[in-house]
Each structure stands twice: as structure tokens, then as C-alpha cells.
Amino acid sequence: MNIFRHRPLGLLAPALLVLVAGCSTADDSDTVTAPTPDARTAPFCRDLDKVLPRTVDGRHRQDPEPRSAYTAGWGNPAIILRCGIVRPPKMVNPEVALGEDPDAVAGGVNGVEWLMEKEGDGTWRFTTSKRRAYVQVTLPKKLSGPDDSAQVLMDLAAAVKKAIPKGLASMRY
């Protein structure tokens, strides 16, 4: 039995219109899914939110929607910070540790260790390591050149060091 046999196709068009309209945006503001850190991680992330700089790489802070103590943004297109994420899989990949992964490398900037990952679309994502919470910074395509990340990570280093102590993060699943 065909359940669609007696349904007019005209009802499908309004439903699709509602679906498409709900997925589009009317402005250039960024929408970011806020992480859900565990009870041990959340206080570090809330502390980080309080000490983040007003500008990063000369871009003013413009937090993404929905507002959260676990996300921050600077500029348009935005540099996005998310605190309290789960450990990225490449963080424990032996190829990265041995320098054999062409799209990921570990390194430090101003006393903060980072996993630096090149994404499939050419953008870069940075995740802190050796800290009690994982902090992830994603650069927009416009800022994903070979030298664009240094100033961003330098501008964020003091806040990360102040709010996120060294140690092992609990968000490892």
C-alpha cells in the first residue's frame, strides 16, 4: 500500500519551504554549537571566558549565537573558540607524535601546547594539549594561510595559561 497515494503534492511544497527557511540565515552572524563540558571541565571554561582578550589578531570580540560561556568569536568571518570539547582523535594518533601526519602537527606558542590540524576545506583548527580542558580555536578560510595562526595563538596564550591549568583533561571520550 502506498501511503502517499492520497496525499496532494501541494502539501509537500510548504513543508519544504519551512524546512529550507529554517536552515538559512538572514545575516552574517556565526552560529556555533556550544560544547557541553563535564563538571570538572566547566569551571575552567567559565574562567577562560572571563579573561579572554577583547581583540585577537586585531579583530574585536563578537561572540557567536547562541551565547555561551563555552564559546567566543572575533571578527567576521569569525575566529571561533570552543572550550570543553572532547579530545580530538588525532591527539592520541601515533602518526602525529612521530611527525608522519601531513595534516596535523603538535607545537607550542607562548607556553601553550597545541595540536594543529589542517581541515579538508583548507582551514586550520587548533586544540590545546597538556591542559585540564581542551580549548579549540578554528580559523576562517580567509585566515588560514601559513603564517596567519601565530598572532591568534599568541593573543590567546595568556588567557589560556591563566584560566586552564596544566594537566590532563577529563573530556577524553
Side-chain angles (χ1 to χ4, degrees):
M1 178 175 160
N2 185 349
I3 63 171
F4 296 106
R5 184 174 59 197
H6 300 291
R7 306 271 193 281
L9 289 177
L11 293 177
L12 184 59
L16 286 175
L17 182 60
V18 169
L19 180 65
V20 171
C23 294
S24 65
T25 59
D27 61 12
D28 290 334
S29 65
D30 290 296
T31 301
V32 174
T33 301
T36 53
D38 63 22
R40 288 181 281 179
T41 304
F44 298 127
C45 293
R46 287 191 297 269
D47 289 346
L48 177 63
D49 186 56
K50 294 173 190 170
V51 297
L52 285 170
R54 296 182 127 198
T55 60
V56 169
D57 194 33
R59 297 165 179 271
H60 295 287
R61 187 165 174 179
Q62 297 175 305
D63 288 344
E65 296 293 333
R67 302 262 183 203
S68 168
Y70 308 125
T71 61
W74 293 266
N76 187 4
I79 297 165
I80 298 293
L81 179 144
R82 298 173 67 231
C83 184
I85 65 162
V86 296
R87 177 178 60 199
K90 288 198 177 195
M91 188 78 66
V92 293
N93 184 332
E95 289 181 355
V96 175
L98 296 171
E100 297 173 356
D101 186 324
D103 295 324
V105 65
V109 177
N110 284 9
V112 178
E113 299 295 318
W114 298 91
L115 169 66
M116 305 172 206
E117 297 176 88
K118 186 173 186 178
E119 299 295 290
D121 64 357
T123 59
W124 284 86
R125 179 173 67 193
F126 305 89
T127 307
T128 57
S129 63
K130 301 179 185 176
R131 297 274 164 185
R132 302 277 308 275
Y134 292 114
V135 177
Q136 183 181 80
V137 177
T138 305
L139 299 183
K141 196 168 194 107
K142 183 178 177 182
L143 288 179
S144 286
D147 300 320
D148 291 322
S149 62
Q151 188 62 52
V152 171
L153 300 180
M154 287 189 293
D155 288 349
L156 293 170
V160 170
K161 289 189 291 189
K162 184 173 186 174
I164 314 287
K166 288 183 179 181
L168 293 176
S170 61
M171 299 285 288
R172 288 184 247 155
Y173 50 87

